[in-house]
Amino acid sequence: MSEYGSDHEREEESLSNPDVVTKYKAAAKITNAALTAVVEACKPGAKIVDLCDKGDSLLNEGVGKEFKGKEIEKGIAVPTCISVNNCVGHCSPLNDCAVELKEGDLVKIDIGCHIDGYIAQAAHSLVVAADGAAPVTGRAADVMQCAQTCFDAAARLIRPGHKSSEVAPVLAKICEAYGCNLVDGVMTYEMTRFVIDAHKAVVHKAQPDQKVEDVEFEEGEVYAIDCLVSSGEGKPKLHDEKETTVYKRAMEVQYQLKMKASRELLSEVQKKYPTMLFRCGWSARFGLVECLNHGLLNAYPVTYEKEGDLVAHIKGTVLLMPSGSDKITGVPLQPLQSDKSCDDEEVKALLATSLKNKKKKKKAAKEAAA
């Protein structure tokens, strides 16, 4: 089911249905547990490929325990990606990758799963440390604090009654204060059942060639608020196409493939990952080229900022509930010690507000007492 269903179907799939909220929160619990385990495993000497495998295994194990005996789809929505230092994202290498984490690396973890098409995804940043006790300092602290502050501000603007055009100017102020830049092309997307990038989108950084409709947020919507911040220019480049391993089926494209290997790959994708992101292993690479050439798959390339730059990533799934915004994914950052802060009065006032709706809380309390 997609965002284009009937009114009855949309009602059944909305947050007004308690079963839907339960499924979102079940997916979030699994995502958070897997994320926590991967964070704890990010030690000097840990192999990136092992960390990705660990995250995916925990996601699959977690969804396997939920709603047993019920005929519902469930599984990975975002394969575990481990992107280090100036690598921006989507790094989910195959088994022949021998790269290990080193002390002082800034690591970004991107991860997510779904229960019955209801998606919970998250991204987290950390600096690898042998003991993990000392606070993060320097540019790593700046970029991580900036990403977290951008997320906190966006979560307070992506609320009913606000418009998507309100977000970018505030994030620009925050980045300027920390001497950082938002990464080009990154947007926050509404999520609906089985749709990870639905109709409504929020541009974080205005681009001349990026035309997105200015939309108003509404109660009952779900967003993956996605903040990627760089200590550099925020203009990543592709280094090697062969590093790309993460793909998603382009649902609107149909084509009769010629090669048997290509047809087998597409059949497997449509069976296991019809609408979600997936990691493609070497065994399927032979059929990949024809699928890509005819637009049947969208690639998520591994891109990089300049050598020496640092990139931080914070992403959380947020439900726009009647009581306010409910952030259901994410884990706390390690202690940060940045010598920068955003002192803009409007931004400070925004960050001081609650994600919950106080008026509706009071109204609910009065109705309960009546």
Side-chain angles (χ1 to χ4, degrees), residues 43-46 84-85 99-107 127-129:
K43 302 296 184 185
V84 181
N85 295 328
V99 177
E100 298 180 353
L101 298 184
K102 304 184 301 296
E103 187 161 2
D105 279 344
L106 198 166
V107 177
V127 170
V128 177

Side-chain angles (χ1 to χ4, degrees), residues 31 77-78 110-113 119-123 191 196 224 315-317 329-330:
T31 295
V78 179
D110 198 2
I111 194 169
C113 70
I119 304 161
Q121 50 175 320
M191 296 190 294
I196 204 165
K315 176 169 61 175
T317 300
T329 62

Side-chain angles (χ1 to χ4, degrees), residues 149-150 152-153 156-157 169-175 177-178 342-353:
T149 306
C150 282
D152 292 341
R156 285 161 174 76
L157 291 169
V170 174
L171 302 193
K173 288 181 180 179
I174 295 168
C175 286
Y178 284 94
C342 184
D343 296 322
D344 181 272
E345 292 302 325
E346 289 184 11
V347 175
K348 287 167 70 175
L350 174 68
L351 293 171
T353 61

Side-chain angles (χ1 to χ4, degrees), residues 168-274:
V170 174
L171 302 193
K173 288 181 180 179
I174 295 168
C175 286
E176 183 179 4
Y178 284 94
C180 297
N181 280 293
L182 290 157
V183 174
D184 286 1
V186 178
M187 293 192 288
T188 282
Y189 283 98
E190 178 192 9
M191 296 190 294
T192 55
R193 190 183 181 207
F194 289 112
V195 184
I196 204 165
D197 47 1
H199 171 65
K200 293 185 178 181
V202 183
V203 174
H204 290 187
K205 183 179 180 182
Q207 301 288 315
D209 58 344
Q210 198 174 38
K211 304 298 180 185
V212 177
E213 180 185 357
D214 188 14
V215 294
E216 186 170 325
F217 307 115
E218 298 177 54
E219 186 178 296
E221 294 174 341
V222 180
Y223 288 87
I225 300 179
D226 197 3
C227 295
L228 263 164
V229 173
S230 172
S231 65
E233 296 179 353
K235 300 182 183 298
K237 304 293 183 186
L238 177 67
H239 284 187
D240 185 353
E241 287 184 0
K242 292 178 182 177
E243 287 188 306
T244 303
T245 61
V246 178
Y247 303 90
K248 182 168 77 71
R249 175 75 170 93
M251 297 296 294
E252 70 282 2
V253 180
Q254 301 296 325
Y255 180 79
Q256 187 60 45
L257 294 163
K258 305 295 189 295
M259 294 172 57
K260 182 182 178 182
S262 305
R263 294 195 299 272
E264 288 176 348
L265 170 60
L266 191 65
S267 176
E268 183 180 4
V269 168
Q270 292 182 155
K271 181 181 178 181
K272 293 183 178 179
Y273 317 101

